[in-house]
Amino acid sequence: MQIVHTIKDLQLALSLIRQAKQAIALVPTMGNLHPGHLQLVTTAQQHADTVVVSLFVNPTQFGANEDLDKYPRTLQADIEKLEAVHTDILFAPNIADIYPHGSEHSTHVHVPGLTDILCGASRPGHFDGVTTIVAKLFNMTRADVALFGEKDFQQLAVIRRMVDDLNIPINIVSVPIVREPSGLAMSSRNGYLSAQQRQLAAAIHPILLTTQQALIDGFSDIDSLRDNAAKSLNDKGFRVDYVHILQRDHLKPATKKDKELVMLIAAYLGSTRLIDNITISLP
Ligand code: PAF
């Protein structure tokens, strides 16, 4: 694996690949890699000749009271994991290269509407940070394809919209959630959970599955399904941020006519915010 730390070195490496007419895939990450990230890499290998993983803890997507400082930086372990899955290039830039005018004073990309709801409502400015860094990474790599996990369902929708709105010539591929044997969706933030909280966190997935099955079985009272799910989470000791059942493609409130839905949960265990979701196709 080639490791590059500057945009200049990245572009030098990629120009040789482009000259050889090879397709390039980008897997953007903030490091602290887990099997979910590695699944993005192995899926990327099916879509392109060369896979670039970016590793950058992007300050602009963290709110003032969020975990930027304590976000785990595990570069050496991440390198070993990426090498084990035969990643071609690791791009691990420093902040001055990415935000040469300072992260607060640079141009931002804002996707209206989709970013005002769900995690966007709870974490103001978060998605502006995400779309800005992702647009920058798309520009730096000029990748043919980029891969994102479905765990961050809203992030995926926001990035797809940005790509459409800005006519960015890149194919966005989504990769299903990778779960621990307990059902807990893999996330870098799971590392903040105590052993007891980790056991408790596994309760989210069965709640998603039960609601999915109820909808498939014809129970169509979305409000009461949502309220029951929120109550179950509260009863188990979560502090619920939101539970929503929405139209899958537009993230708008689902009506009885909609067939393609997504149920999304954000809930805190202690100070750790967990998100998860499930898609639902009604007969
Ligand atoms: O999903 C993430 O890890 C981050 O939001 C991303 C896409 C790497 C941008 O910093």
Side-chain angles (χ1 to χ4, degrees):
M1 179 170 75
Q2 190 178 353
I3 302 177
V4 293
H5 293 286
T6 65
I7 300 172
K8 206 167 151 231
D9 286 347
L10 173 73
Q11 290 179 337
L12 190 65
L14 292 181
S15 69
L16 301 175
I17 287 153
R18 251 183 238 105
Q19 268 168 31
K21 304 252 178 288
Q22 291 195 355
I24 297 165
L26 170 68
V27 177
T29 81
M30 297 203 299
N32 192 23
L33 304 179
H34 53 68
H37 292 111
L38 304 181
Q39 183 69 43
L40 295 177
V41 175
T42 51
T43 308
Q45 287 162 344
Q46 295 160 23
H47 289 268
D49 308 289
T50 294
V51 177
V52 181
V53 173
S54 64
L55 192 166
F56 179 66
V57 182
N58 173 39
T60 64
Q61 68 187 80
F62 289 80
N65 301 317
E66 292 186 351
D67 55 347
L68 174 62
D69 292 337
K70 72 167 179 167
Y71 198 88
R73 272 84 168 166
T74 52
L75 182 61
Q76 199 45 48
D78 291 343
I79 289 173
E80 283 161 27
K81 289 175 190 170
L82 292 172
E83 274 174 341
V85 293
H86 312 293
T87 304
D88 299 291
I89 299 176
L90 169 62
F91 175 47
N94 62 46
I95 186 157
D97 217 16
I98 298 292
Y99 292 109
H101 304 287
S103 55
E104 297 302 313
H105 305 287
S106 62
T107 304
H108 281 68
V109 178
H110 174 65
V111 176
L114 269 180
T115 59
D116 299 332
I117 56 171
L118 303 168
C119 293
S122 314
R123 305 180 65 191
H126 165 69
F127 284 116
D128 289 358
V130 170
T131 44
T132 301
I133 188 66
V134 169
K136 283 158 88 63
L137 289 166
F138 287 175
N139 283 337
M140 287 174 222
T141 57
R142 292 197 284 129
D144 301 280
V145 54
L147 292 94
F148 295 88
E150 289 172 10
K151 188 176 86 67
D152 296 299
F153 198 88
Q154 186 181 10
Q155 169 172 283
L156 187 57
V158 169
I159 289 168
R160 284 193 197 282
R161 177 66 62 81
M162 174 186 78
V163 164
D164 275 0
D165 285 350
L166 298 181
N167 308 100
I168 303 178
I170 194 163
N171 181 18
I172 303 298
V173 171
S174 71
V175 177
I177 299 174
V178 178
R179 297 185 181 278
E180 295 186 0
S182 69
L184 176 63
M186 291 204 179
S187 162
S188 300
R189 291 195 166 95
N190 292 351
Y192 299 149
L193 299 171
S194 67
Q196 197 198 0
Q197 287 174 328
R198 217 179 170 101
Q199 269 185 348
L200 210 55
I204 298 176
H205 191 222
I207 291 173
L208 290 168
L209 288 171
T210 306
T211 313
Q212 180 193 52
Q213 195 56 51
L215 283 159
I216 291 170
D217 290 346
F219 190 86
S220 59
D221 185 346
I222 284 178
D223 288 346
S224 82
L225 285 171
R226 205 192 50 206
D227 293 349
N228 285 344
K231 184 170 179 321
S232 301
L233 289 164
N234 271 319
D235 291 348
K236 288 181 166 50
F238 290 86
R239 184 163 54 86
V240 175
D241 182 357
Y242 61 72
V243 176
H244 283 294
I245 299 171
L246 302 175
Q247 295 173 353
R248 184 162 70 192
D249 291 340
H250 308 288
L251 299 184
K252 296 220 165 99
T255 66
K256 292 201 161 101
K257 285 192 194 143
D258 292 311
K259 300 284 179 212
E260 299 299 329
L261 309 177
V262 59
M263 178 175 182
L264 304 115
I265 290 177
Y268 288 88
L269 271 181
S271 57
T272 307
R273 189 170 181 278
L274 301 170
I275 58 171
D276 202 345
N277 68 78
I278 198 163
T279 54
I280 304 156
S281 293
L282 298 182

